[in-house]
Amino acid sequence: MGGWAALRKVLAAALSGRDGGATCFGCRHFDNDPAAMEAAFPGLTTFSSGHASVRADDGLCAKHATYLNGRRACAEREPATVAPGEP
Amino acid sequence: MSVETAGALGAPRTAWRELWTREDWWAIWLGLGIVLASLILYESGASLRWLAVLPAKWSSPPQLGADLAANALRYVAAFAFWLVVFSVALTTLGFKAREFVPAFVFLYLAALVVFCVGQWDQASYYNLEPPLIALLAGLVVSNLIGLPRWLDAGFRVEFYVKTGIVLLGATVPFTLVLLAGPIAILQASIVSIVTFLVIYFAAVKMGLDRRLAATLGAGGAVCGVSGAIAIAGAVGAKREDAPIAITAVILWAIVMIFVLPLVSRALALPTGVAGAWIGTSEFADAAGFAAATSYGALAGKVAGIAGTSDQATLAFTLMKVVGRDVWIGIWAFVLAIVATTRWDARPAGGKPDVGEIWRRFPKFVIGFLIASIVVTAATANLSFADFNKSANPSLIGPIKDLRTWAFIFCFLSIGLTTRFSELAAAGRKPFGAFTIGVAVNVALGFLLSAFVFASYWANLGK
């Protein structure tokens, strides 16, 4: 039962694409645009691509000068705009 | 240029949205579409052969000219076909048609020239193998002449190679995947783990940051540039880490495209053995296919090289795609856990989730497997004689030739997008650590391919 619940949770996360919490998505410092990746990483398109599945939800964080998984939570997240439904 | 919106508007992709926003899925739709079309035509007594046109062998320019003239309409139709299907895919991905179309016209004409040179009856004598010609021509044009950067919209190495791999699946019996897969996974796992650990610890010993060390290690051990950027994202590497790894991978991958086939030829390795070695020791799918197909083409033409051209491609594919590429999600998941629990804390943290394994999975491999299953099932009740008489020329042959086009588009694009002057400086220490890993990888890959599993690879598919 525990295994089934864990499997359901993984499938739900994979299919919904949401982990909950304040992730990098929506932060004004985060950019996961494939074209931006290809411009930021010289040579990326020679043997890979900004549009490849392996990139998942990774993007660039301008604030911390890192390349990271956009699903991670960040205490320094700064929403650029107020999204619909948000206070 | 892209479908994802930048910065604050960026959002996670759902599994469903991936189906039309990732080139992996587009490679599947395109590859499987061709396979299904070929199957339907075959079952109805027709064939895709007319569209899958390639120049015939020639010995004099007039002979070549006559062949091209006789098939001019087919070449125009093939061009229109590729232009339409690639345009649909790439414009959906966010590329501009006004940039892609002229780039693809150039690419198609260049590919036709490469095919013509490769079909010259003296081409083997002068080592004019189409993959190597395409790569060298591309490198010369991009580095000595130069092309406008916007033309890169048509030079999509990864998209073309992924499409080619899905088409390749249709020519590989699924039983062979099941039989050879475990050996490929075993050999690839040994080499991948050893190579990663060597690069990682060499880099750490040299004083490099652990995240950069892991990024370099994945670039050398798993799947080249794709492996490097996947791990860079998973561990939260510094912005400059990925370009360093990309430079190291590109430089060594291009060296290996020429060195591995040359050494294999000097040692007269059977094509299956050389394919396995290339699959173990090349760093990128596109580079490895260039090396494997150029060596495979020597079978039957150069004395002492046993095996068939298909064996080189097959062994490479099993080793690289099945043995190494598919594990990138697991590498990323494990290293993300290590990074967040053992290494220094970063502002953006949180617990990695198992879903990352699927999200990073190279989906085009699914297309490769489906294509293999579909064609294997469709031809399962044919006798060997019937298969060679009907299925091979009418069903498999056209898919193979269309696959060859996709690979030549890819090989040309490698050269056309490799601008040495624009690559980031790798730095002495990162490049040194990576090079140590390359040396170990090449030696270990050779030992396993040419000795430990030699008879297995030499007899692959027989």
Side-chain angles (χ1 to χ4, degrees), chain A residues 17 26 30-34 38 42-43 46-49 51 53-54 56-58 64-69 71-73 80, chain B residues 2 4 7-8 13 22-24 156-158 226 229 232-234 236-237 239 347-349 356 359-360 363 417-418 422:
Chain A
F30 184 71
D31 187 351
N32 66 347
D33 184 290
E38 294 184 358
T46 299
F47 288 124
S48 188
S49 163
H51 299 268
S53 288
V54 296
D57 300 305
D58 298 339
H64 300 110
T66 53
Y67 179 64
L68 76 170
N69 185 341
R71 289 169 185 267
R72 300 290 159 76
Chain B
S2 69
E4 275 179 318
R13 293 169 189 250
R22 289 292 192 201
E23 69 188 4
D24 287 54
R156 303 302 304 179
V157 175
E158 278 285 283
S226 292
I229 60 163
R239 181 191 173 109
E356 190 158 340
R359 286 192 291 272
R360 293 190 191 278
K363 313 294 187 306
T417 54
T418 303
E422 293 181 10

